[in-house]
Amino acid sequence: MEQPDEPCFLHAISLRRQNIESFEEYPYSIPAIRHLHELRFHPRVTFFVGENGAGKSTLLEAIALAEGFNAEGGSRRSGMFKTRDTHHERFWQNIALNRGGGKRLARSDSYFLRAESFYNLASYLEEVGGGNAAGPFSEATSYHQQSHGEAFMNLMTTRLGGNGLYLLDEPEAALSPQRQLSFVAALHQLVQRGSQFIIATHSPIVLAYPAATIYHFGEQGITPIEYEETEHYKVTRAFLLRREAMLRELMSEE
């Protein structure tokens, strides 16, 4: 898929295949990783989609680590705390970053969000005092004084300042459908401020953001796909149009 000729923070990644001893070992045994050579990103928004276990979060985490983020999320200033080992130590070292000739290396902001470790990040920030700071480049007010969804939207609207690279892993996990719509609006505002997003998601609402590149992670590797061809769109649409029939089929004794 041809990408728009626009400057971006991260143009592409490639796998240093010559450094890999065996593609039978995890995570290289995952088809999406085993077939990876080079993956180019949209200058504004790139989505990763696919079944659970397809390698979306694994690759996004490796990109984050190669970019200097903590594996559990946060900004580069969040510290290298960890509550458990979640990443394959050598995998991220085999990810080569292509920043597109250094057109926009002078970024003002950056963030890596993992829905599954957001609580751990919030706890760490409160312990070190970062959870009480204010302003667009602080870590935000106390996330534990808000619901998970409120805390995440607070991060999107007050913590992320724009002109940055943002890596988000399943951001919809904490959000109601209405809040997912609010997320899309906040995403667009940050895009208009010169930001680039790479997002792993299962949400057909989030995935509907226009003019984005969507990559499907599957048995054939990582391939571009149109929104209407994603399983997320087709299954959701079919269910809403044929809810009663689908439920009868699913709950049938036969």
Side-chain angles (χ1 to χ4, degrees):
M1 177 179 291
E2 180 142 351
Q3 304 285 13
D5 185 18
E6 297 181 24
C8 56
F9 296 115
L10 188 58
H11 177 72
I13 60 167
S14 57
L15 185 63
R16 295 188 175 101
R17 302 179 67 87
Q18 70 278 8
N19 295 345
I20 299 168
E21 296 178 1
S22 172
F23 281 91
E24 301 303 316
E25 297 180 358
Y26 181 85
Y28 307 108
S29 58
I30 300 173
I33 307 302
R34 185 170 64 243
H35 295 297
L36 176 62
H37 289 268
E38 182 185 62
L39 190 65
R40 298 176 63 186
F41 299 113
H42 193 285
R44 296 180 294 278
V45 180
T46 300
F47 290 115
F48 291 170
V49 301
E51 278 295 334
N52 295 326
K56 305 180 303 298
S57 296
T58 299
L59 183 58
L60 190 66
E61 179 187 278
I63 296 170
L65 287 167
E67 279 280 355
F69 292 103
N70 188 325
E72 297 201 39
S75 69
R76 288 183 176 82
R77 296 173 296 159
S78 295
M80 299 308 291
F81 77 100
K82 66 177 180 177
T83 57
R84 63 188 177 95
D85 290 323
T86 61
H87 59 281
H88 190 281
E89 187 66 31
R90 294 185 63 187
F91 178 38
W92 72 267
Q93 296 173 351
N94 288 329
I95 295 294
L97 306 177
N98 178 346
R99 295 190 173 90
K103 293 180 182 178
R104 286 177 57 188
L105 290 179
R107 69 189 69 170
S108 63
D109 195 24
S110 57
Y111 213 89
F112 174 40
L113 173 84
R114 297 186 61 161
E116 66 179 26
S117 59
F118 188 58
Y119 180 92
N120 299 336
L121 172 64
S123 298
Y124 170 78
L125 294 175
E126 287 200 346
E127 288 177 6
V128 300
N132 295 318
F137 299 103
S138 71
E139 298 294 357
T141 56
S142 173
Y143 291 130
H144 287 316
Q145 295 176 13
Q146 307 167 66
S147 72
H148 195 177
E150 289 172 332
F152 176 67
M153 285 307 301
N154 179 279
L155 182 146
M156 282 291 294
T157 57
T158 66
R159 162 58 184 86
L160 305 188
N163 190 34
L165 173 65
Y166 303 120
L167 312 178
L168 310 182
D169 188 15
E170 299 185 11
E172 73 278 5
L175 304 177
S176 69
Q178 183 61 49
R179 285 297 179 95
Q180 290 181 41
L181 292 172
S182 298
F183 168 83
V184 171
L187 169 69
H188 185 58
Q189 290 180 0
L190 288 164
V191 166
Q192 290 181 310
R193 294 181 209 155
S195 302
Q196 183 184 19
F197 284 83
I198 303 173
I199 304 173
T201 183
H202 292 290
S203 168
I205 294 176
V206 172
L207 198 57
Y209 185 82
T213 291
I214 305 174
Y215 285 119
H216 176 259
F217 285 53
E219 290 299 316
Q220 304 305 314
I222 304 173
T223 54
I225 189 171
E226 296 299 323
Y227 173 69
E228 290 80 4
E229 295 302 314
T230 64
E231 184 180 17
H232 310 70
Y233 171 83
K234 291 193 288 187
V235 171
T236 302
R237 184 177 186 274
F239 180 78
L240 293 176
L241 292 176
R242 301 178 54 248
R243 173 173 57 90
E244 293 183 358
M246 289 186 71
L247 287 173
R248 281 198 301 270
E249 183 177 346
L250 288 170
M251 296 185 289
S252 167
E253 289 185 1
E254 296 180 0

